[in-house]
Amino acid sequence: KAKEFKYINFRVGFETKKYRHFMNSESAFHTPFPTQYLKSKASVDSSKLLISFLGYPKAIKGIDVVPEIIKSIHSKRKDISWLVQARDVIDSTNLEIFDTSIEVHIGRIESKLMEELVRKSTLLCLPYSTEKYLLNASAMAYEAADFLKPILTFAGSAFADETIEHGIGIVVEN
């Protein structure tokens, strides 16, 4: 049995509305992205795009579909530069087939370097599994919002609704 405390008012914040709804708690509240709307940001020079795939690389975060995404976009826009956080040398070897500029960082990235990489990015692509991220938020989405960098994510992820609501990026069908 839970112990009752008379003088404590306890509330829990959830990063996504879907998770808050899932928990169905009256004491829960939504803690939205800490950002200003990106609409006020200056326009982007589309001739100098740097699209990044950052955040510890795992299958549920879409690292396995990164080469396919780059291939698809590269077939239409050869002038885009890429920045990829890879799991290992095998991931980075899979990226060597493209005749384009791809900066690769393997494994964990220290916070200072991560901040630098986010700052120089034009767009952060977060191709997360919509099944695994049905309720979870993304730390990289918050990081991007902190630096007013737009994200691109898939419809169906828990943070897709917040991406649209707070104007922090683009949501595409999977």
Side-chain angles (χ1 to χ4, degrees):
K1 182 179 177 186
K3 186 175 180 178
E4 291 186 32
F5 295 94
K6 294 180 183 181
Y7 306 107
I8 296 177
N9 184 7
F10 183 74
R11 295 186 68 209
V12 177
F14 294 102
E15 295 173 330
T16 66
K17 290 180 182 177
K18 287 183 179 182
Y19 196 72
R20 178 182 175 217
H21 180 72
F22 171 76
M23 293 302 292
N24 194 23
S25 172
E26 291 180 23
S27 64
F29 62 97
H30 180 228
T31 56
F33 287 103
T35 185
Q36 304 165 17
Y37 279 83
L38 289 177
K39 294 172 188 162
S40 64
K41 191 173 186 298
S43 62
V44 173
D45 180 355
S46 66
S47 68
K48 298 178 184 175
L49 293 177
L50 175 63
I51 299 177
S52 299
F53 296 89
L54 295 170
Y56 194 75
K58 299 191 265 186
I60 65 171
K61 291 185 176 183
I63 188 63
D64 297 326
V65 298
V66 168
E68 183 182 327
I69 292 170
I70 293 175
K71 180 180 178 182
S72 175
I73 295 172
H74 183 65
S75 70
K76 296 169 185 65
R77 290 281 309 263
K78 301 207 181 305
D79 59 329
I80 295 176
S81 296
W82 304 90
L83 196 157
V84 178
Q85 184 176 0
R87 283 180 294 223
D88 50 34
V89 175
I90 294 169
D91 283 342
S92 65
T93 302
N94 291 338
L95 298 170
E96 291 175 2
I97 61 170
F98 302 106
D99 61 338
T100 188
S101 172
I102 302 177
E103 179 181 339
V104 178
H105 294 266
I106 297 176
R108 296 202 181 276
I109 296 176
E110 294 296 322
S111 60
K112 190 172 184 174
L113 176 58
M114 180 64 78
E115 182 178 311
E116 178 186 319
L117 297 175
V118 171
R119 281 185 195 275
K120 76 179 193 177
S121 299
T122 308
L123 172 82
L124 276 80
C125 186
L126 307 176
Y128 295 6
S129 163
T130 55
E131 291 176 17
K132 301 292 183 182
Y133 277 83
L134 186 61
L135 299 174
N136 299 343
S138 162
M140 286 312 304
Y142 278 83
E143 187 92 11
D146 285 343
F147 293 101
L148 299 178
K149 299 296 181 173
I151 65 169
L152 182 140
T153 193
F154 294 136
S157 69
F159 55 96
D161 292 341
E162 281 81 3
T163 299
I164 294 167
E165 180 182 343
H166 298 288
I168 63 163
I170 304 163
V171 175
V172 297
E173 291 298 320
N174 196 348

